[in-house]
């Protein structure tokens, strides 16, 4: 009788989604990035393989940020409000592997920018950087339905990741992404059943699941991260056990959630007993990211360059071991 | 749930005729249809009417292998026939089945080891099928211990509590359900538990209804594998729903569709 290591045997894995198209594929990106593809829980190198390491996309807005604390404004002070330059700085100076362009300026309560204005920003950012692009709407369904198809068309062939499609608002965006060759973010409100149902609906439209990235919505430290974590983890377990409808990789809004917590954005004067604001917010963002990496996040959208650098280092450390043991 | 398609069996008239005429198309069609409807494995049984079970088994296995790579369950009580099937079968395979009788168990377990095959063990021995739950559990325990001795990993072991026709003994199904529940506690991890479902309704009028209801009950007890007819859509819907209700698959409004899109 031989001893068997108590190792889980998974029958399936996470789907691989490719973002960004190079010149030979009809785009203008310097490289494409694969996310997902793991056949094990995060960083358990002895159980399976993680062919692609988690990727960080840095966030760029199409308008002036309204609620960013000083700590967050500081690294971008010279480029804020200029999306092209902002994106270029993230890539050249802060090593962003991807840019996530958030179209907050199209929100009716913000600057209510028109589709044409949004398209101009998309074109500006595409021109300014050659890394793959995520394009994120404003969360108002009616407005997204007008703006995102225009942006999708403007970026046709670049294989961007565009979102978000929701259970009651997915058809327009699915059709656009299908026509223009983009990948799609499927958003569900911290509800695993809706996440699965949405993927079923999207695939029923003929959209391939290997072009879907799930956004099960993200909690930040201080905002119920445990629940976000357990939803993600359960989804990942289902994917590994062969549930194809739960197999798409996962994207998380780390920066947005972390910097929403009062613990991250309170100034040193407001909360002297919490230590200096400069370090606190950055740590808050980095910790949120590291926790959600453990839950199975494949793409992290982040804000502060120092938090990005920290998390990158941690990802490399966790992945390094795997490279040494991988056959 | 692991679904083993039962349709390639010489006991069925059409299959028997196809065997006699060496009609590949009929067999291959049946194989592909079952896989399309959700079979994870295909049972291959030559039946009783053939004079050359060894040659027939070899032919059936090769015929099915030409069209699909799913694991095959080589179904025969005869050692030589099983061996022929295993030899002919490339890729993953299963022996269906051994009994708990010492000599039989030894022979089949060493075959399983030699061919790296999974194996179904029936809860019966030289005294036949035990009348009570305890007798079944005792045989199951013996099989698990023996499998460890032969170095056959527990996840390749399938214990079958043996389902008998309800028409012959109405106390039988209850005992099978209780056995399934107890089998899940025999080892950690537990062995797979499999039933040959159709046997339950032999000779009954409402065959499909009886099969369907019992399958749901057995899944509730911990059954994780069944030999059944995947072409019976209502049966498959019942199975999928029971799996979902047992929290083995994530619910979505289109859970039937989602399961079939795997």
């Amino acid at each position: 009788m031989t001893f068997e290591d108590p190792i889980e045997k998974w029958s399936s894995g996470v789907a691989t989604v490719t973002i960004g198209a190079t010149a030979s594929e009809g785009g203008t990106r310097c490289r494409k990035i694969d996310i997902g593809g793991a056949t094990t829980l995060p960083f358990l190198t002895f159980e399976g393989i993680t062919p692609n390491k988690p990727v960080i996309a840095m966030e760029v807005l199409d308008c002036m940020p309204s609620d960013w604390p000083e700590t967050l404004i500081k690294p971008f002070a010279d480029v804020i409000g200029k999306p092209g330059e902002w994106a270029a700085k993230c890539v050249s100076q802060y090593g962003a592997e991807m840019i996530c362009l958030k179209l907050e300026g199209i929100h009716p309560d913000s600057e209510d920018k028109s589709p044409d204005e949004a398209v101009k920003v998309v074109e500006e950012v595409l021109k300014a950087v050659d890394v793959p692009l995520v394009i994120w709407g404003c969360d108002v369904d009616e407005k997204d339905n007008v703006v995102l198809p225009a942006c999708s068309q403007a970026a046709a062939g670049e294989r961007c990741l565009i979102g978000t499609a929701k259970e009651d608002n997915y058809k327009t965006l699915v059709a656009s992404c299908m026509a223009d060759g983009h990948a799609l973010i499927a958003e569900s409100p911290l509800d695993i059943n809706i996440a699965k149902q949405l993927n079923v609906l999207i695939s029923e439209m003929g959209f391939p699941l290997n072009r879907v990235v799930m956004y099960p919505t993200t909690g930040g430290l201080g905002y119920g991260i445990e629940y976000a974590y357990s939803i993600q983890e359960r989804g990942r377990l289902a994917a590994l056990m062969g549930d194809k409808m739960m197999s798409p990789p996962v994207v998380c809004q780390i920066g947005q959630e972390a910097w929403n917590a009062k613990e991250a954005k309170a100034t040193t004067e407001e909360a002297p007993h919490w230590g200096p604001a400069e370090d606190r917010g950055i740590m808050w963002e980095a910790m949120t990211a590291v926790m959600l990496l453990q839950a199975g996040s494949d793409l992290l959208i982040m804000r502060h360059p120092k938090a990005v650098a920290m998390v990158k280092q941690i990802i490399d450390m966790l992945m390094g071991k795997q490279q040494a043991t991988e056959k | 749930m692991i679904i083993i398609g039962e349709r390639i069996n010489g006991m069925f008239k059409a299959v028997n005729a196809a065997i006699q005429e060496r009609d590949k198309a009929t067999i291959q069609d049946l194989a592909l249809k079952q896989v399309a409807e959700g079979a994870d494995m295909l049972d291959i049984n030559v039946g009783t009417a053939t004079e050359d079970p060894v040659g027939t088994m070899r032919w059936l296995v090769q015929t099915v292998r030409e069209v699909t790579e799913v694991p095959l369950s080589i179904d025969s009580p005869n050692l030589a026939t099983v061996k022929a099937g295993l030899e002919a079968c490339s890729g993953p395979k299963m022996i269906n089945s051994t009994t708990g009788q010492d000599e039989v168990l030894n022979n089949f377990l060493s075959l399983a080891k030699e061919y790296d095959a999974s194996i179904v063990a029936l809860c019966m021995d030289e005294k036949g099928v035990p009348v009570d739950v305890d007798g079944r559990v005792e045989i199951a325990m013996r099989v698990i211990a023996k499998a460890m001795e032969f170095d056959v990993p527990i996840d390749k072991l399938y214990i079958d509590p043996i389902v008998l026709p309800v028409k012959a003994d109405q106390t039988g199904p209850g005992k099978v359900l209780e056995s399934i529940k107890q089998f899940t506690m025999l080892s950690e991890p537990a062995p797979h538990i499999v039933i040959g479902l159709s046997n339950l309704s032999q000779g009954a009028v409402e065959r499909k209804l009886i099969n369907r209801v019992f399958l749901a009950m057995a899944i509730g007890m911990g059954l994780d594998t069944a030999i059944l007819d995947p072409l019976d859509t209502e049966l498959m819907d019942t199975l999928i729903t029971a799996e979902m209700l047992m929290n083995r698959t994530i619910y979505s409004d289109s859970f039937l569709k989602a399961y079939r899109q795997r």
Side-chain angles (χ1 to χ4, degrees):
Chain A
M1 182 182 162
T2 49
F3 172 77
E4 277 186 75
D5 281 335
I7 285 177
E8 293 284 352
K9 287 179 190 161
W10 304 109
S11 58
S12 199
V14 181
T16 303
V17 175
T18 304
I19 306 166
T22 59
S24 64
E25 296 162 309
T28 59
R29 307 296 90 193
C30 65
R31 63 188 171 109
K32 55 187 179 184
I33 289 178
D34 287 340
I35 60 169
T39 60
T40 171
L41 288 171
F43 313 113
L44 299 191
T45 54
F46 49 88
E47 264 185 17
I49 57 160
T50 308
N52 306 301
K53 67 174 185 177
V55 174
I56 299 173
M58 285 183 76
E59 195 174 320
V60 168
L61 305 186
D62 65 336
C63 57
M64 296 296 287
S66 57
D67 59 347
W68 286 25
E70 206 198 320
T71 319
L72 202 47
I73 298 273
K74 224 161 129 191
F76 309 107
D78 52 334
V79 291
I80 231 155
K82 295 172 267 187
E85 288 176 43
W86 186 346
K89 186 172 189 184
C90 286
V91 174
S92 61
Q93 204 166 325
Y94 302 134
E97 297 156 282
M98 257 191 226
I99 292 296
C100 174
L101 176 61
K102 286 269 200 66
L103 299 174
E104 276 187 20
I106 65 172
H107 196 293
D109 297 342
S110 174
E111 296 176 23
D112 200 14
K113 287 187 179 178
S114 69
D116 285 347
E117 287 172 282
V119 163
K120 272 195 197 114
V121 177
V122 169
E123 285 169 345
E124 181 188 337
V125 173
L126 276 170
K127 211 169 155 194
V129 295
D130 55 7
V131 297
L133 197 62
V134 183
I135 302 172
W136 204 293
C138 70
D139 235 15
V140 175
D141 292 350
E142 299 74 30
K143 193 66 192 276
D144 279 353
N145 279 341
V146 187
V147 174
L148 290 176
C151 295
S152 162
Q153 212 175 356
E158 297 285 2
R159 207 193 273 143
C160 299
L161 175 61
I162 302 185
T164 59
K166 305 182 203 103
E167 194 187 18
D168 46 9
N169 185 48
Y170 65 95
K171 288 185 180 162
T172 308
L173 195 52
V174 172
S176 295
C177 286
M178 194 143 48
D180 301 320
H182 300 299
L184 176 75
I185 301 169
E187 175 179 344
S188 46
L190 274 177
D191 183 318
I192 199 156
N193 307 120
I194 293 177
K196 182 166 174 175
Q197 175 66 10
L198 179 57
N199 289 349
V200 175
L201 293 171
I202 288 170
S203 64
E204 270 177 1
M205 279 183 75
F207 195 81
L209 266 187
N210 65 0
R211 266 163 62 190
V212 174
V213 175
M214 284 195 281
Y215 175 47
T217 50
T218 317
L221 272 181
Y223 273 94
I225 200 171
E226 303 86 349
Y227 197 50
Y229 184 101
S230 63
I231 294 270
Q232 260 191 58
E233 189 184 43
R234 188 159 172 238
R236 182 52 43 99
L237 287 170
L240 295 175
M241 287 191 283
D243 189 338
K244 202 176 147 203
M245 288 299 143
M246 291 304 290
S247 68
V250 167
V251 57
C252 284
Q253 289 268 26
I254 305 293
Q256 174 185 301
E257 294 299 330
W259 289 97
N260 243 336
K262 65 177 184 301
E263 289 87 345
K265 58 182 175 184
T267 62
T268 313
E269 293 71 39
E270 283 164 352
H273 51 292
W274 282 346
E278 175 79 20
D279 304 333
R280 193 179 346 110
I282 293 164
M283 281 311 291
W284 211 260
E285 184 175 10
M287 289 303 298
T288 301
V290 171
M291 282 184 84
L292 289 171
L293 277 174
Q294 297 292 347
S297 306
D298 302 280
L299 174 59
L300 310 173
I301 294 172
M302 297 185 63
R303 287 181 176 171
H304 201 287
K306 280 190 183 163
V308 170
M310 234 184 272
V311 174
K312 260 189 172 178
Q313 205 182 347
I314 289 166
I315 291 173
D316 284 343
M317 205 174 72
L318 289 167
M319 294 293 292
K321 200 176 159 201
Q322 137 139 5
Q323 278 150 11
T325 52
E326 207 179 291
K327 282 165 202 143
Chain B
M1 190 81 185
I2 302 165
I3 298 154
I4 306 176
E6 69 176 10
R7 295 305 300 269
I8 302 180
N9 187 324
M11 306 281 263
F12 292 109
K13 266 189 197 155
V15 175
N16 192 30
I19 290 173
Q20 303 305 335
E21 290 157 29
R22 290 293 191 255
D23 164 15
K24 278 188 175 181
T26 300
I27 303 293
Q28 292 176 337
D29 182 52
L30 213 41
L32 290 176
K33 266 192 194 145
Q34 293 185 92
V35 172
E37 293 304 318
D40 303 296
M41 274 192 218
L42 295 175
D43 195 63
I44 311 286
N45 187 324
V46 297
T48 48
T50 173
E51 283 172 9
D52 173 22
V54 168
T56 302
M57 179 58 86
R58 197 175 294 130
W59 177 79
L60 272 176
V61 167
Q62 285 164 348
T63 301
V64 173
R65 253 302 164 264
E66 282 174 17
V67 293
T68 173
E69 286 300 309
V70 300
L72 301 184
S73 149
I74 312 296
D75 189 354
S76 168
N78 181 294
L79 198 66
T81 308
V82 169
K83 200 164 187 292
L86 293 173
E87 262 168 16
C89 182
S90 59
K93 43 199 160 271
M94 171 186 256
I95 295 170
N96 188 8
S97 53
T98 176
T99 66
Q101 217 170 333
D102 254 354
E103 195 191 332
V104 181
L105 191 55
N106 287 345
N107 287 338
F108 278 100
L109 278 174
S110 63
L111 261 195
K113 183 66 195 162
E114 186 185 343
Y115 286 90
D116 192 25
S118 303
I119 184 164
V120 175
L122 306 176
C123 284
M124 62 187 289
D125 55 16
E126 53 282 351
K127 288 174 273 181
V129 180
V131 289
D132 59 356
V133 175
D134 291 348
R136 287 179 162 98
V137 172
E138 190 190 319
I139 296 174
M141 200 59 232
R142 217 158 60 214
V143 168
I144 291 173
K146 227 4 169 211
M148 287 175 165
E149 214 175 279
F150 275 81
D151 205 13
V152 171
I154 204 83
D155 65 350
K156 291 203 156 187
L157 182 62
Y158 294 69
I159 308 275
D160 183 342
I162 303 193
V163 173
L164 297 170
V166 62
K167 195 173 180 177
D169 173 16
Q170 218 180 320
T171 66
K175 289 174 187 164
V176 169
L177 292 175
E178 182 57 30
S179 302
I180 292 172
K181 192 170 149 195
Q182 297 205 19
F183 290 173
T184 61
M185 295 181 283
L186 285 179
S187 66
E188 176 65 44
H192 292 286
I193 302 165
V194 60
I195 57 170
L197 183 64
S198 310
N199 210 22
L200 177 71
S201 58
Q202 286 290 351
V205 176
E206 292 287 357
R207 289 204 66 173
K208 288 188 165 186
L209 178 63
I210 293 172
N211 291 347
R212 208 152 74 214
V213 172
F214 187 73
L215 181 64
M217 294 165 87
I219 289 172
M221 285 294 182
L223 185 81
D224 74 341
T225 309
I227 305 175
L228 50 76
D229 179 8
L231 307 184
D232 180 346
T233 309
E234 286 187 329
L235 180 67
M236 288 299 286
D237 284 354
T238 305
L239 179 152
I240 295 163
T241 308
E243 287 259 285
M244 185 276 291
L245 292 174
M246 289 302 289
N247 194 27
R248 291 192 205 156
T249 57
I250 290 172
Y251 175 84
S252 74
D253 291 340
S254 326
F255 68 93
L256 291 174
K257 213 174 269 172
Y259 185 97
R260 291 193 162 98
Q261 281 173 338
R262 286 195 306 180

